[in-house]
Amino acid sequence: VIRQEGGGSAVMVGHAFGSWVARMTAVDYPQLVRGVVIAAAAAKAYPAGFAGAKELSEAVKKSGDPTLSDAERLTYLRANFFAPGSDASVWLKGSYPETDEAQFVAGRATPQSQWWGGGTAPLLDLQGALDPFKPRAMANEFKDEFGERATIVVIPNASHALIPEQPAAVVDAIVA
């Protein structure tokens, strides 16, 4: 797509699992990627004693489960993906369990070490200040691991949903 649409290099923007795809693209096609925006990525590994990993994995599945009522799905969305006061109902439509399963399969099939660093491209790590997938204890992990190649921007009043919660702040950070 990058070759066909522009022929130059692109800035890849990936939200959550999409950041894995963006980073892997930068690894596989470094000449086509001039930077990677990592929006609402989970921590590389949760800190010792972090008890919520299993619950977060369950919330991902339950929040997109079409067999559950909207009310039940909203409970998972509000608790795990959206900051207080944000409209979690925007994520009630557009969930596809087959896509979720494909992401889980891809995640298990590709070692994290292959995609984590995004090749040699500059990295912009956009974090929701209230994102349970990125505990505050892990907020600086990209900077700690990749130094000057990584820039971190924490967006207030946002959680894992990030983009529908604070679209202007996300755009401003990417443009800057």
Side-chain angles (χ1 to χ4, degrees):
V1 170
I2 296 168
R3 284 188 186 118
Q4 177 145 348
E5 293 300 320
S9 62
V11 174
M12 300 287 297
V13 179
H15 174 263
F17 177 81
S19 78
W20 300 14
V21 175
R23 287 183 266 175
M24 196 70 228
T25 302
V27 169
D28 288 344
Y29 303 97
Q31 71 284 7
L32 297 178
V33 179
R34 70 174 187 260
V36 177
V37 178
I38 301 161
K44 184 175 189 177
Y46 291 109
F50 181 77
K54 182 179 178 185
E55 289 80 6
L56 289 173
S57 182
E58 181 179 326
V60 170
K61 289 182 179 183
K62 298 257 184 178
S63 66
D65 183 345
T67 67
L68 299 179
S69 70
D70 284 356
E72 191 171 355
R73 289 181 56 217
L74 277 171
T75 299
Y76 286 102
L77 289 168
R78 287 184 182 123
N80 299 287
F81 298 95
F82 286 82
S86 293
D87 180 10
S89 69
V90 300
W91 272 14
L92 285 174
K93 301 268 189 257
S95 291
Y96 301 95
E98 301 84 9
T99 302
D100 288 344
E101 185 55 34
Q103 289 178 1
F104 287 121
V105 169
R108 288 188 299 270
T110 308
Q112 185 184 52
S113 60
Q114 287 185 6
W115 54 263
W116 179 257
T120 58
L123 306 169
L124 173 59
D125 182 16
L126 298 181
Q127 303 173 13
L130 303 171
D131 189 347
F133 292 86
K134 179 74 89 169
R136 292 299 83 204
M138 305 306 293
N140 291 318
E141 68 182 345
F142 278 106
K143 195 75 162 160
D144 293 344
E145 188 169 346
F146 301 111
E148 293 303 310
R149 190 163 72 95
T151 301
I152 298 169
V153 175
V154 178
I155 298 184
N157 302 315
S159 184
H160 196 65
L162 187 59
I163 295 170
E165 290 183 293
Q166 297 294 336
V170 168
V171 169
D172 289 347
I174 293 171
V175 170

